[in-house]
Amino acid sequence: MEVTSAVHSVGFLPERLNTRPCFLSTRPNYKVPLPCTYNGGCSKRTCSVVINSTSATSIATSAAAAEGSLSEVERIKQKCLTWQWKDQYSINYFVSSDAHDSSHPSLLLVHGFGASIPHWRRNIKTLAQNYTVYAIDLLGFGASDKPAGFQYTMETWAELILDFLNEVIQKPTVLIGNSVGSLACLIAASDSSQTLVRGIVLLNCAGGMNNKAIVDDWRIKLLLPLLWLFDFLLKQKGIASAIFERVKLRENLRNILSSVYGNKESVDEELVEIIREPANDEGALDAFVSIVTGPPGPNPVQLMPKINSPALLLWGDQDPFTPIDGPVGKYFSSLPSQQENVKLFLLEGVGHCPHDDRPDLVHEKLLPWLASLSNS
């Protein structure tokens, strides 16, 4: 039976977009993918509606136009999926849908402290031109679960990454991380039992889950008593809540981000919202306290000698968190002369988050390095 009106045929479609795909079809096995717009979400991964070809063309065109009007962050969010880790925790992730040469490794992007998948807003489109790109929200961040009372560790995040490789990606992959995300990737890649890490890219790798790991830095030594005091205060629920509420105020977040970015123009309202929105989730305060006060985890000095796969180090020279002249920065700077598999590029005028701060400089070094992996 011909359906004469696409609007009536899909009468349940409201205004708000959901992330799951909906398919419109005029005959068996012929489907046109569209964003599912049912507020309650589809009960299945896909749904289908039989309509005539004219209606299908009209709706597909409208959907394409709607997607074209979305910001990159909105587009990324719309395409995110959920993976159940250990049948207990919901983990938010993104995957680019373009098919590429199977000889190319996949890429897995892992964000840093306080960030999430959209922090790769200026990288995914470029990388997805030649690679299948995955990005993940670590447990406790972004749209992933933030379980109450959970004790976060670097080892937990590394285990999550390895399980994601084995259960979801299931092919050789280059791990690309920023800050604590870099350290989590490094821990995962150093696991002697893993078989899927094709290479690692570390963007201003952290020395630990928090600054207490970097005790060799005179700057940290001076601040260590204050860090201990801060830990004590954060373990008082009322004080921790007051501090957290103040930190996540828009103006305060903007000031913090401006202090760690070299290119101040990259600190826009969209970036502030990328950090601020997940901080309002239930469990975000517990995650913040656990991460800041918890054990720093394995040190890169212990881990890098275990890495035999190719490693690319991209380091912003204006990073106040892990400065190139600090213990962690100096150690990584020395590696290219000690390990043939390691390459290091210093990015001038760039802060702690090079991929979002100056994506052009990152892509300039990253893309040829990735191409060399595919050709080797």
Side-chain angles (χ1 to χ4, degrees), residues 38-349:
Y38 177 42
N39 266 332
C42 296
S43 59
K44 299 180 180 179
R45 286 263 173 190
T46 62
C47 57
S48 60
V49 179
V50 179
I51 62 174
N52 64 18
S53 58
T54 302
S55 298
T57 302
S58 175
I59 292 179
T61 302
S62 298
E67 183 171 347
S69 67
L70 295 175
S71 71
E72 183 64 9
V73 167
E74 290 169 330
R75 189 186 70 82
I76 290 170
K77 286 182 176 180
Q78 190 180 51
K79 292 186 67 175
C80 282
L81 303 168
T82 299
W83 166 60
Q84 287 298 123
W85 184 40
K86 298 185 174 182
D87 294 323
Q88 188 174 4
Y89 305 114
S90 292
I91 302 299
N92 187 54
Y93 75 95
F94 167 93
V95 57
S96 61
S97 56
D98 299 330
H100 297 292
D101 187 337
S102 60
S103 66
H104 289 184
S106 294
L107 310 180
L108 175 58
L109 312 179
V110 185
H111 62 81
F113 177 73
S116 56
I117 293 169
H119 202 206
W120 302 99
R121 57 187 172 151
R122 295 182 169 129
N123 316 105
I124 288 175
K125 184 179 290 186
T126 297
L127 296 174
Q129 291 175 13
N130 294 297
Y131 302 90
T132 300
V133 179
Y134 291 82
I136 194 169
D137 280 342
L138 295 173
L139 188 71
F141 292 113
S144 289
D145 277 354
K146 303 169 183 66
F150 191 89
Q151 297 301 305
Y152 294 88
T153 66
M154 291 304 312
E155 293 88 344
T156 297
W157 289 329
E159 181 184 2
L160 186 156
I161 290 170
L162 289 175
D163 287 346
F164 189 80
L165 290 179
N166 292 326
E167 296 179 24
V168 180
I169 302 181
Q170 298 182 342
K171 65 173 290 188
T173 301
V174 175
L175 304 181
I176 304 176
N178 173 228
S179 188
V180 293
S182 281
L183 184 55
C185 290
L186 182 53
I187 297 169
S190 69
D191 188 317
S192 59
S193 65
Q194 66 81 20
T195 59
L196 293 179
V197 177
R198 180 68 179 84
I200 57 171
V201 180
L202 308 180
L203 303 167
N204 287 64
C205 184
M209 190 168 71
N210 45 57
N211 280 334
K212 293 191 294 295
I214 317 172
V215 294
D216 292 334
D217 191 331
W218 63 268
R219 288 160 287 205
I220 299 299
K221 286 182 178 179
L222 287 177
L223 293 174
L224 205 54
L226 287 177
L227 293 175
W228 289 334
L229 174 61
F230 192 58
D231 280 7
F232 172 77
L233 293 175
L234 284 179
K235 290 176 181 178
Q236 318 306 310
K237 190 75 172 180
I239 296 175
S241 180
I243 292 173
F244 190 58
E245 288 300 317
R246 188 166 183 80
V247 166
K248 67 182 185 180
L249 291 174
R250 282 189 176 86
E251 192 58 33
N252 289 338
L253 283 176
R254 175 177 282 277
N255 290 337
I256 293 169
L257 291 164
S258 294
S259 72
V260 300
Y261 271 60
N263 178 20
K264 309 307 179 186
E265 292 182 0
S266 292
V267 183
D268 53 18
E269 285 304 315
E270 187 174 66
L271 175 61
V272 172
E273 279 305 306
I274 287 172
I275 306 299
R276 182 178 178 275
E277 184 180 4
N280 290 319
D281 292 348
E282 185 176 353
L285 172 60
D286 285 354
F288 173 75
V289 172
S290 176
I291 293 164
V292 172
T293 63
N299 190 293
V301 177
Q302 304 166 328
L303 300 170
M304 280 303 298
K306 302 177 182 179
I307 302 298
N308 297 314
S309 56
L312 176 65
L313 313 178
L314 299 177
W315 212 279
D317 70 347
Q318 299 297 312
D319 183 359
F321 285 168
T322 49
I324 194 65
D325 63 345
V328 176
K330 286 181 178 178
Y331 171 71
F332 278 112
S333 296
S334 70
L335 285 180
S337 63
Q338 301 174 27
Q339 295 182 217
E340 292 184 358
N341 61 317
V342 178
K343 288 188 176 181
L344 168 70
F345 293 98
L346 198 61
L347 306 179
E348 294 185 8

